[in-house]
Amino acid sequence: MLDDTLKTQLKAYLERVLHPVELVASLDDRPASAEMRELLEDIAGLSDKVTARFDGADARKPSFQITRAGADMGLRFAAIPMGHEFTSLVLALLQAGGHPPKVEADVIEQIKALDADLVFETYMSLTCHNCPDVVQALNLMAVLNPRIRHVAVDGGLFQQEVDERQIMAVPAVYLNGEPFGSGRMELAEILAKVDTGAAARDAAKLGQKDVFDMLIVGGGPAGAAAAVYAARKGIRTGIVAERFGGQTLDTMGIENYISVKETDGPKFAAALEAHVRAYEVDIMNGQRVASLEAESEPGGLATVRLANGAALKSRSVILATGARWRNVNVPGEQEYKNKGVAYCPHCDGPLFKGKKVAVIGGGNSGVEAAIDLAGLVQHVTLIEFAEQLKADAVLVAKLKSLRNVTIHTHAQTTEITGDGQKVNGLRYKDRTTGTEHSVELAGVFVQIGLVPNTEWLKGTVELSKYGEIVIDAKCATNLPGVFAAGDVTTVPFKQIVIAAGEGSKAALSAFDHLIRSPVPQPEPEMA
C-alpha cells in the first residue's frame, strides 16, 4: 500500500511516538477493506510501538480507530487516508502516541476543559485541500479530551451516507447528528462554536494588550509580508486575522510565485505563518474585525474593534483583508449553496463524479475549473457573460479540445434551479437573441472573480466604486497613519506576488510615517 519512499518517511516520523499505539480496524468484504488492512499492516511493520488489530466492531466498515494502548480515544478514519489526508494520518499517529502537538498551551487546556459529549463526523474527499485542517483539528480534540469523538468519512467510500444526508460540498461536519459547519474551519473557529465562553475570554485578554506601533489587519500574503517588514524594524507589531493565509488557503496550485517553482495554497499559507512567527509578532488569529476608528490628525492612535468586543490600539494600521469569491447573485444561488452550488472544484469536484455540472465564468479560474472537472464528471457546461472567453489562450485551447465540454459565450445566467433539496439545473439567456435556455445539472461551480472584504470599512476610509480601498503609490489611504495593501485595494492585478510586494511597501511607508510622527503621551493620572 505504501511505497518505499512513504515507508521511509513514516518510519522516521514514528520514531517520535512515546507511548504504544493501537490501530483497531472494522472491516468487511469490500476491496477497500483489503486496502485498509494492507495499509495498517504496513504502518504496524514500521514501528514496535504500533500494533494493528482487525477485530473492531464499528458499524462503518471499512474504518479504523487510532488509540493509545489501554485507552479508548475517539479518533477514527472511515477512509484510506492517502492523498491530502496522509498528513492527517501521520499527525493522528504521533498525537495518539504522546508527541506534543504544535498548539498553544492555553488552547490545549481549553480543549481538555470542554465539559460535554461531542461526537463529530467529517465528510471529506481525499482530493480536498480544505479538508485536512478540519480533520486534523477535530482529531486533536478527540486525542486530548475523552468526551470528544471524531470520525473522518471519505464521501467516495460511503456514497450512501452522502446521498442520504445530501452532502454536496466538503468538508461537511456534523455534531451529535446535526449539521455543524461546512467548508474550511480552523481549530480556533471550531472551539469558538462549541465553547460558548471563549469569545468573552478572548475579548478580555485582547483588551489588555499594550498599544502597537503597527497593527496589520489580515493574514494573507500582503498582511504576512507587512508583519515581517515591520517586525524587522524592531517595533511593536501585531497582526489580527480571521484565518491566517487568507485566500491562499483556497488555492490549489501556485506556480507563479517567483523563486518557488510549484506549491499548493495550504503549504504556502503555512510557510507564510511560519515566516511571521520567526519574528516577534503578536499573532491574533481567528478574530473577525468589526470597525476602524482613526484620528483625523497625524500622531493620534487608531482603534481596531473586534467582533467579540475587544479594542486594539495602534500608532499605525495596515489594512490587508483581501478578497473573496464573488457570488453570481441569481435566484437559487444562496438556497442551494453547498447543495450543488460550489466554489472550489478541487474540493467538491469528486462529489459530482459521473454527473453533469456547469461552470460560470470564462476567465482563468473558470476555464481551469472546467478543465479540472472534465476529467471527473460526465459533462461540463461553461457559461461566460462576455462575447469570448477571457482566459489565457493556452487554457482556452485545452478546454476546446475536451469532448465532454460545451461552451456558451455571450450568455447570462438567470437562475440556478433545484428540487428543494439540491440543484437540478441552470437557466441562462442568450444575450444575442434573448432566448432562454435550461440545462439539467447536478452542480454549478461559480468562478467569476473576487469582491474586496471592505464592508466593515464603509464610511471610514475612501473606497472605489468597486469597494476597493483607494491608495496612493505608497499604499496610504485618505486617513493619516492608515495604509492598505493587496487584493483589498485599488492596485491592479490581484496576484499573490503583487500582494506580498504591496504588503512590504505598506510596512515601509507606515514605518516612515511613524518616525516622522510625534509619540502619543500617556494621559496624566488623576490624583
Side-chain angles (χ1 to χ4, degrees), residues 177-258:
E178 299 295 328
F180 175 78
S182 62
R184 191 185 198 97
M185 290 184 290
E186 296 184 349
L187 180 58
E189 183 179 353
I190 295 170
L191 286 173
K193 293 182 72 172
V194 297
D195 185 355
T196 55
R201 292 196 303 271
D202 276 353
K205 184 166 61 175
L206 291 170
Q208 296 174 0
K209 290 184 180 293
D210 293 334
V211 173
F212 291 97
D213 291 312
M214 197 179 300
L215 180 63
I216 297 118
V217 183
V228 169
Y229 267 71
R232 286 172 62 86
K233 294 295 185 181
I235 60 177
R236 178 167 164 71
T237 305
I239 183 167
V240 57
E242 192 167 351
R243 58 174 191 160
F244 210 103
Q247 199 183 11
T248 62
L249 290 166
D250 303 321
T251 304
M252 187 56 192
I254 298 174
E255 300 177 351
N256 57 358
Y257 192 86
I258 308 308

Side-chain angles (χ1 to χ4, degrees), residues 396-452:
V396 173
K398 173 64 176 177
L399 182 71
K400 291 181 176 180
S401 73
L402 301 174
R403 295 183 178 182
N404 63 335
V405 175
T406 300
I407 302 170
H408 296 292
T409 56
H410 218 224
Q412 179 181 358
T413 303
T414 57
E415 184 180 3
I416 296 170
T417 62
D419 60 7
Q421 301 293 327
K422 60 183 184 298
V423 166
N424 63 14
L426 174 147
R427 293 196 180 106
Y428 72 92
K429 181 175 69 175
D430 186 317
R431 297 178 59 227
T432 301
T433 65
T435 306
E436 293 272 356
H437 299 273
S438 296
V439 184
E440 291 186 4
L441 302 163
V444 177
F445 289 81
V446 180
Q447 301 279 290
I448 57 171
L450 303 170
V451 59

Side-chain angles (χ1 to χ4, degrees), residues 20-28 33 36-41 43-44 49-79 81 89 92-93 96 149-152 158:
V21 172
E22 287 186 343
L23 310 176
V24 185
S26 302
L27 306 177
D28 56 17
S33 285
M36 185 174 288
R37 177 185 284 270
E38 183 181 352
L39 172 64
L40 301 186
E41 288 176 340
I43 295 171
K49 284 191 170 64
V50 181
T51 57
R53 291 170 29 206
F54 303 96
D55 57 354
D58 193 79
R60 279 194 184 93
K61 298 177 181 179
S63 67
F64 67 96
Q65 178 189 21
I66 299 178
T67 184
R68 194 168 298 163
D72 181 29
M73 289 180 174
L75 192 166
R76 179 174 295 275
F77 284 95
L89 170 64
L93 290 165
R149 309 193 79 79
H150 174 237
V151 56
F158 292 87

